[in-house]
């Protein structure tokens, strides 16, 4: 078989993004890809399912596995999230540990569960010290020192996922560790998830952003219709927002439907940005009592 030099030097592999909830894993993924495929909110446990973000460059393809944060909990939904997160680490080539640079340097205990997992595995690990925009420069060196003493990271890179600082170096460090091999996905594919999954996630993101207390964690979104006719016709999407109680349904609908309209408008704008097309979005709200507490409930809302 004939291969030119470019193909011979091609690298392709999977990078597990590991870290506790809310350190910025999904923000980092979107920024690395240059497209929003993973939802982001200020609330912990926003990401529930693993999602693959695919970045194709001239001579390499990186498959970033975003996953829920690793944390302890007994609830059925949370147990499922942590097992997703841990499974992600098993079949990857590299681990990218993400931490929050605001963590106290003399106490890395908050990341203990993540660091232990990485230490137990044999994958090369790179540390992305995220949110450096929120700390003073002099705090950085002691932090890097503390992490490098904790685990033999191949590299520790201070980054800001919000403004993109440090991401070029991070990408260079990570891709250098990928095995040689051909691309596994077409160059224009962004994710392994179908568009209808991303659409349901955008609706859930807006619910999480606009509602408080337990409502974000009681919400699951299913897509009932996803009709993508040839351009320039409008893409038609219908989704059901499942909640656990009728009081939550009332909150999501809001006064004279104001909240549901706000959720719908914001979610539709995200869908239009991703698809590059006009979208017509219809939303329904349904009560599925206590769905998040049992495996049966999870199945009822589509998990
Ligand atoms: N200031 C600052 N905030 C960030 C940065 N990266 C992420 N965030 C914020 O941290 C929160 C959690 O981000 P997310 O990506 O959902 O975290 P994940 O749970 O690890 O996926 C969101 O409010 C983000 O906007 C950063 O570099 N700087
Ligand atoms: Mg996330």
């Amino acid at each position: 078989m004939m291969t030119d030099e470019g193909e011979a030097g091609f690298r392709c592999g999977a990078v597990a993004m590991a870290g506790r909830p809310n350190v910025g894993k999904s923000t980092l993924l979107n920024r690395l890809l240059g497209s929003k495929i993973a939802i982001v909110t200020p609330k912990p446990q926003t990401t529930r399912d693993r999602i693959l973000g695919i970045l194709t460059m001239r001579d390499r393809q990186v498959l970033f596995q975003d996953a829920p944060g690793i944390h302890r909990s007994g609830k059925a939904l949370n147990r499922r999230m942590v097992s997703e997160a841990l499974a992600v680490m098993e079949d990857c080539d590299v681990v990218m540990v993400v931490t929050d640079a605001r963590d106290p340097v003399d106490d890395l205990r908050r990341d203990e569960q993540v660091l232990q997992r990485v230490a137990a595995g044999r994958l090369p690990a790179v540390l992305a010290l995220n949110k450096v925009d929120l700390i003073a420069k002099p705090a950085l060196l002691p932090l890097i020192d503390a992490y490098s003493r904790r685990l033999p990271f191949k590299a520790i890179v201070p980054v800001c996922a919000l403004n993109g600082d440090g991401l070029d170096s991070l990408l260079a460090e990570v891709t250098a560790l990928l095995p040689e091999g051909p691309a596994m996905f077409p160059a224009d594919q962004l994710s392994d998830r179908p568009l209808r999954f991303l659409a349901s996630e955008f609706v859930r993101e807006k619910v999480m952003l606009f509602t408080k207390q337990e409502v974000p964690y009681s919400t699951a979104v299913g897509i009932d219709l996803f009709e993508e006719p040839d351009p320039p016709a409008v893409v038609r999407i219908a989704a059901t927002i499942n909640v656990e109680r009728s009081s939550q349904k009332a909150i999501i609908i809001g006064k004279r439907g104001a909240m549901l309209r706000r959720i719908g408008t914001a979610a539709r704008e995200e869908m239009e940005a991703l698809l590059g097309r006009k979208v017509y979005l219809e939303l329904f709200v349904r009560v599925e009592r206590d769905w998040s507490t049992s495996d049966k409930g999870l199945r009822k809302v589509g998990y």
Side-chain angles (χ1 to χ4, degrees), residues 225-238 268-269 271-272 275-282:
L225 171 83
F226 193 104
E227 233 176 49
E228 220 186 337
D230 289 334
V234 171
V235 179
R236 289 176 58 94
I237 301 173
R268 176 178 50 78
E269 284 168 358
M271 294 171 190
E272 289 179 338
L275 296 169
R277 308 261 304 264
K278 280 266 174 245
V279 170
Y280 176 79
L281 173 66
E282 208 175 354

Side-chain angles (χ1 to χ4, degrees), residues 45-79:
Q45 288 143 45
T46 297
T47 305
R48 285 186 193 156
D49 299 89
R50 52 157 117 182
I51 179 169
L52 199 66
I54 304 163
L55 178 65
T56 307
M57 293 172 287
R58 188 183 49 79
D59 58 353
R60 43 202 77 184
Q61 183 171 71
V62 199
L63 315 175
F64 291 104
Q65 276 278 4
D66 188 16
I70 295 171
H71 61 283
R72 289 178 208 280
S73 174
K75 207 165 134 181
L77 176 63
N78 297 70
R79 276 203 312 271

Side-chain angles (χ1 to χ4, degrees), residues 234-254:
V234 171
V235 179
R236 289 176 58 94
I237 301 173
T240 296
I241 301 173
N242 295 282
V243 289
E244 302 195 275
R245 305 179 185 284
S246 43
S247 57
Q248 296 166 345
K249 178 173 171 175
I251 290 168
I252 296 220
I253 292 173

